[in-house]
Amino acid sequence: MSMNWYAVTTYSNYESKVKAAIIERAKAEGLEANFGRILIPQEEVADVIRGKRKISKRSFYPGYLFVEMDLNEATWELVRNTPKVTNFVGGRKPTPVPLKQIESILAQMEEGAAKPAPRVIFDEGDNVRVIEGPFTNFTGSVDEVRPDK
């Protein structure tokens, strides 16, 4: 039994529900030994809303998740017939995702968890309009960018 990673396409923003459904269906059908990890590539993103910092999650690949599994007819049917799953990447004969790419995604996720990225990125010279605070409705241009602030 050799497990490989496969990319699965889902409805956008339903990745977590699909992950839970695959896990639940695998347990119900007694196929949990054929499944490993299910990965939803996400990073933490920092927002400032009304002066308070809020951390949320943003998907690297909206509409995709990666499933580590032993591909056979039963596991293929289980994943393919899960609600909100559209297909495997590769069609009828799914192609495994190289382990090097999965390791790259995992490293990217760990980096995002260690330091949340800003949701909006400004560059020097960008024109901006202030939407709250004492300078509401003032416009200006960005002179300096300090991502840590």
Side-chain angles (χ1 to χ4, degrees):
M1 179 166 85
S2 67
M3 290 204 187
N4 290 315
W5 286 94
Y6 296 93
V8 177
T9 57
T10 67
Y11 292 3
S12 192
N13 297 325
Y14 282 92
E15 296 91 351
S16 297
K17 290 181 181 180
V18 168
K19 176 181 177 179
I22 290 172
I23 292 169
E24 184 179 314
R25 292 184 70 202
K27 285 181 183 175
E29 294 184 23
L31 295 172
E32 64 265 13
N34 293 333
F35 286 89
R37 296 176 289 173
I38 299 176
L39 181 66
I40 302 171
Q42 295 178 329
E43 68 177 338
E44 291 186 347
V45 180
D47 282 334
V48 178
I49 300 175
R50 294 189 182 103
K52 294 185 180 180
R53 189 172 181 169
K54 179 184 172 193
I55 302 210
S56 59
K57 293 192 181 264
R58 177 175 57 194
S59 184
F60 293 140
Y61 307 108
Y64 289 89
L65 56 92
F66 297 91
V67 180
E68 184 181 27
M69 61 187 243
D70 177 28
L71 186 67
N72 57 41
E73 193 64 33
T75 57
W76 184 85
E77 287 291 331
L78 183 141
V79 174
R80 177 70 182 94
N81 294 324
T82 299
K84 310 292 187 216
V85 168
T86 55
N87 209 347
F88 279 92
V89 172
R92 176 71 177 135
K93 176 115 171 72
T95 44
V97 177
L99 189 58
K100 192 170 190 168
Q101 285 183 332
I102 296 296
E103 289 170 352
S104 169
I105 291 169
L106 288 170
Q108 199 174 8
M109 288 174 62
E110 287 176 18
E111 182 180 310
K115 185 176 181 189
R119 184 172 296 273
V120 180
I121 299 174
F122 296 105
D123 292 323
E124 289 184 23
D126 286 352
N127 289 323
V128 294
R129 185 174 64 89
V130 179
I131 58 172
E132 67 180 39
F135 299 104
T136 302
N137 293 328
F138 278 82
T139 58
S141 65
V142 177
D143 289 337
E144 178 184 7
V145 177
R146 295 189 298 182
D148 55 327
K149 299 289 182 182

